[in-house]
Structure formats: structure tokens, C-alpha cells
Amino acid sequence: MSNTQVLPLLDTAESDGAAPCCPPLTERPFTAEEAERAARMFKALGDPVPLRLFAAVASHESGEACVCDISDVGVSQPTVSHHLKKLREAGLLTSERRGTWVYYRVEPSVLAAMGKLLTIAPAAA
């Protein structure tokens, strides 16, 4: 029995390359699905510890960070692992195991999508 799973491709043809999430808040009301997706992202970042972890990964020099480089946030290692798992489940981080360490990365499209969500659209002329 195989553990492989076919994942759908994302359309990256948008001009800014952002992963589909939600329209800017000022564009139109969210659909139920868009609101659910945005709420998962904000909920995952709604505490100082995961927000610090997310920022540590996003700002890391190489664009990815080993868990050993970002775990000094004032909580125990199991708590760090819990928050990193929640950030992954919310679609904010991806991870890759290399030997005994796990490396985390923020996809540029995630940051772009979050920025687009909070962008105020210019007023129509």
C-alpha cells in the first residue's frame, strides 16, 4: 500500500505570484472558505511565541531555519514543536527533515498573500 498523495497544483499566474488566499479586505466580503483560511493563518500567529518563531524563520539569512536555530524563544522544546506544527497546519511554514534536524521555510507566496490580504485597494477614480 502506497503512502503517496497527489496534490493539486496552485495557479501561480497571478501578477505577484502570491498563493491564492483571500482578496484584500476592502475588495469584497470573504466567502466562508476564504474566511476560514484567513482565520487559520491569523489564529496561528495570534500568540507571541508562534509569531516570534514565524518571524525567526522568515527573517533567517538563508530563507530557511533549522529548528536548532530558532528554538530560543523562552519556552520548552515540546512547546516550540507544538507551535511549529500549528504554523505548518495553517499553511504558513513548510518543513523538511535532514538527518536529525528539521528545517523550516516560509514560502514567499505566503508572505505575498498575507500582504495582499491586508492591502488597502486604491479608491476608484
Side-chain angles (χ1 to χ4, degrees), residues 3-23:
N3 286 336
T4 60
Q5 178 182 8
V6 177
L7 298 175
L9 295 175
L10 293 177
D11 181 10
T12 57
E14 291 183 350
S15 60
D16 62 3
C21 167
C22 312

Side-chain angles (χ1 to χ4, degrees), residues 1 32 37 58-59 64 68-69 75-77 80 88 91 107-108 115:
M1 184 161 129
R37 201 171 319 138
S59 65
E64 65 179 8
C68 61
D69 295 330
V75 296
S76 68
Q77 180 57 45
V80 168
R88 279 194 333 267
E107 296 298 327

Side-chain angles (χ1 to χ4, degrees), residues 21-26 30 38 41-42 45 111-121:
C21 167
C22 312
L25 292 173
T26 57
F30 283 172
M41 289 187 336
F42 286 116
L45 295 172
L111 292 176
M114 290 178 71
K116 184 177 178 182
L117 169 67
L118 297 173
T119 298
I120 297 176

Side-chain angles (χ1 to χ4, degrees), residues 53-64:
L53 290 168
F54 183 74
V57 173
S59 65
H60 203 269
E61 185 176 302
S62 65
E64 65 179 8

